[in-house]
Amino acid sequence: MAPGGITGRTRPTKPKKQARAQKRKRDDVDVEKLEQAVAELDPKGTYKSFADLPLSESTKAGLKACHFAALTDIQAKAIPLALKGMDILGAAKTGSGKTLAFLVPVLENLYRAQCVGADAGLSAMIISPTRELAIQIFEVLRNVGKRGHLFAAGLIIGGKSLQEERDALARMNIVVCTPGRILQHLSQTAAFNVDNLRMLVLDEADRILDMGFQRDVDAIVEYLPKDRQTLLFSATQTKRVSDLARLSLKEPEYVSVHESASTATPQTLQQNYILTPLPQKLDTLWSFLQSSKKSKIIVFLSSGKQVRFVYEAFRHMQPGIPLLHLHGRQRQTARLDITSKFAAAKHSCLFATDVAARGLDFPAVDWVVQVDCPEDADTYIHRVGRTARYERDGRAVLFLDPSEEAGMLARLAARKVPIERIGVREKKQSSIRDQLQHMCFKDPQLKYLGQKAFVSYVRSVHIMRDKEVFRLGELALEEFAASLGLPGAPRIKFLKGDNAKELKNAPRRGVSPSSEESEDGEQKGEEDAAPQKPKPKKQDAVRTRYDRMFERRNQDVLADHYTKLVKDDEDGFNGDDQAPEDDFLSVKRRIAVDTDTDTDADADPEDTTPTAPPAEAKKTVRIPGAAQALVIDSKRREKLLKSKKKLSKLKGGNKKLVFDDEGNAHEIYELEDEEAFRQRGAPEEQRERFVREARERVGVADVGDKALAKEKKREKREKRKRREREEEGAGGVEVERDGEGADAFADFVRDTAGLVEEGGDEEERPQKKRPKKWFEDEDSEEEGTRNGKSKRRKAAERAEPETLEDLEALASGLLGA
Ligand code: ADP
Ligand code: MG
């Protein structure tokens, strides 16, 4: 192994090479000394500063450059143990310096083992639940490691092409990553070798070990060598034996520095709650912002859609404080941009989902405002942990609906969270309802966002596990909708027998990758950088857009039409019947869906797992107007659904329709009543009469038309002659000859044109000369309506309408005639 060199870079220049060689020699001595010092280190001793620990010169220099001198409690306890190679379960409050508690041992242990350079391969893997946190960890690693260490470290969080990341990975000694993306590399990159991995770190370990990442983490661990050191850190630590077994920890040391503390949150954090009924939340939030314009604030909401709506609405109202918003559905670059903006801002308000709840270390946040109640006490602790970090002050406010108060307070008390109620000063409280209503009325986009926000909020409450805290039935939803500026509450129905727990975790498990649900949920963006998360069990079943479309759980929202497919929810909430559902989404083409299996199962994400053989997963689609349901059993059939043209063919031939004044549809060529027809005389007689009349009409029209046509012909001829004369005057022989040829051709054209014109019954409208057919109705005989009629006929006779749009155009053409 040749330590020092990092492949992939340009060749080091000679002086550099020499310097490195010297450094290596120095290191060899250094390493020996360090090994001995670590061997002698008392892992349970008391240490006050980094200087008390046997650390390499490079690490010491790095720490010094970052102004880290004294150890925090967790660092003092965890680092000595970790240096000695123990597995660790580290728990300490938010903002207490856990990052260094694992980064320092990573740097040191790899250094002492000289796992440096490309030959060493990947030696440490640090996993974070979110990209933002991964980036932050990487930054700290870089800052501390840049004084002399030669490790190649990198970030694998997606956002770059797989190939780019793959190339970088091949050179890395330390990788900081998100679970989904690293798993993608482990399973897809054949050359990605993790056999030399010595250290695995999970930051926010309880989150990474919870259900959302279960599959990914288990799969990742499968790839890693068993003989490694594992460090788990979180403010809310897992102790579940099953979790630890999954990671095959070897007699881990449980290092919990604040377990005996009287509170689970930092001492410097002041925590309060405000009782504010759901429909007044936005008023209260607005008033709060108005009174704290000179602060740095994070506002937590329960879903990305809520975040977007509140952000957009407040932005329009010019709150006097810079606004930012962060949620999982934003592009990676935007998310990066926003986090760095907020980090740098002095006064700003960031609306965020729980994507920002964990680990992020924004400097000097004054307030954490939880407008939507957190799903559990742990989430609460992590959210408020964005302020009062490392001995700084901070304040947190939780908005509670009266129905949530008792339940949530009990949960918080059980987790040792000290929180007190405060009131809002009446005169500071202002209402923005009218303003919002006005804005939603003027701006359909905003109204649409509001509707989505409403739906996603209600859903988020519905799927909460803790029913003692979240009681949907007790929320004033109609009023809440009005408070968002909506004209009524969008209608929502839920699936029967929704298992709240299942649903809550479903997006985390990624069982319905495209479901709008994930857009709602903070969860989605939170983790996964991998666009196509490899799901080993799923590989055999090919899933298409349409599969996903059919699985989409939000089908039960919005329209009755969709809800036919699922049974009614019986747990209380059925939305409101006056809901303006037509406002919500305009569905162009509605396709009712049946699966071969039970409809309920269709909606249940668990049943879409590939344990069922693909054959059973085939779908039947009823196309309105088609005689038979369409069975989707192949890709080609699925493609067919994409094409309106082909779909319309399935509908057993299109019917052309005209609409009468009452709006009733009629076939264009409707046969008239036979009785009435016969009363007008024998068919043959009628035909003759019709032909005679038509001939007369044409004859009359012809006289005028012919005169007109002659006149035009004459004009044309004169024009041509004029042009020829001009050309003759200018041109030579060649032009003359060309002229002759052209003349002959012009004559020919003129003749054919003449033929056409001859029969024309109206200028420029040669087709008008067509005698009226016998089955055309009476009023078409009136000269006055001729033009209109012909237009109508033109529309009606347009080539077979092929698409629905054609049909629409046809209908409107007929109507507008
Ligand atoms: P946690 O992961 O426990 O929430 P972090 O590791 O993010 O906390 O650290 C919180 C803050 O404390 C960071 O801004 C970090 O720079 C600072 N910090 C960590 N350790 C020390 C230390 N030993 N001395 C001074 N500041 C520290
Ligand atoms: Mg942290």
Side-chain angles (χ1 to χ4, degrees), residues 98-99 102 133 136 203-204 359 389:
K98 293 185 289 289
T99 316
F102 61 77
L133 182 56
Q136 190 180 297
D203 194 12
E204 304 296 342
R389 296 181 70 71

Side-chain angles (χ1 to χ4, degrees), residues 50 68 70 72 75 93-100 361 389-390:
F50 286 107
F68 297 132
T72 66
Q75 290 161 0
K93 292 179 185 179
T94 53
S96 59
K98 293 185 289 289
T99 316
L100 285 180
D361 187 45
R389 296 181 70 71
Y390 191 67

Side-chain angles (χ1 to χ4, degrees), residues 474-537:
E474 292 179 32
L475 298 177
L477 292 176
E478 191 62 34
E479 243 192 284
F480 175 49
S483 80
L484 301 179
L486 303 178
R491 186 189 176 97
I492 306 173
K493 286 189 178 183
F494 301 108
L495 310 185
K496 187 187 178 183
D498 269 1
N499 181 337
K501 192 173 163 189
E502 289 287 293
L503 265 175
K504 180 67 196 164
N505 292 310
R508 290 187 170 176
R509 263 178 261 138
V511 280
S512 59
S514 83
S515 84
E516 295 218 337
E517 179 70 25
S518 53
E519 216 177 307
D520 292 0
E522 59 278 299
Q523 298 90 351
K524 178 62 194 169
E526 201 171 319
E527 46 259 16
D528 228 32
Q532 325 109 330
K533 208 173 354 172
K535 286 184 199 80
K537 284 192 235 158

Side-chain angles (χ1 to χ4, degrees), residues 66-104:
C66 299
H67 308 288
F68 297 132
L71 289 161
T72 66
D73 290 351
I74 183 73
Q75 290 161 0
K77 291 209 174 154
I79 295 176
L81 288 165
L83 287 177
K84 290 183 90 74
M86 322 278 282
D87 285 354
I88 288 180
L89 276 172
K93 292 179 185 179
T94 53
S96 59
K98 293 185 289 289
T99 316
L100 285 180
F102 61 77
L103 284 184
V104 169

Side-chain angles (χ1 to χ4, degrees), residues 50 182 204 283 343 354 459 467 476 485 512 598 619 729 751:
F50 286 107
I182 199 68
E204 304 296 342
D283 291 343
D354 282 332
R459 273 194 78 86
K467 291 298 175 207
S512 59
D598 184 0
K619 308 216 159 49
D751 285 346

